[in-house]
Amino acid sequence: LDIVLGVGMKTLSNYTNHIACTPLDPAWADQQWRREQATA
């Protein structure tokens, strides 16, 4: 039950931050995910 609760809370947190466009903390800016362009 703890695992299900943890996954649910993380999912809700991610969706909420995505919808609200929450800015990333400066301390974590170097770990921000960026889509890399595919090389053909």
Side-chain angles (χ1 to χ4, degrees):
L1 188 58
D2 288 338
I3 294 172
V4 172
L5 178 63
V7 170
M9 288 298 295
K10 182 64 175 174
T11 302
L12 287 174
S13 173
N14 285 342
Y15 279 127
T16 302
N17 286 327
H18 180 72
I19 291 170
C21 296
T22 305
L24 189 62
D25 290 335
W28 299 103
D30 61 331
Q31 296 185 20
Q32 182 178 6
W33 184 83
R34 292 179 184 87
R35 183 183 308 235
E36 294 186 22
Q37 295 180 351
T39 56

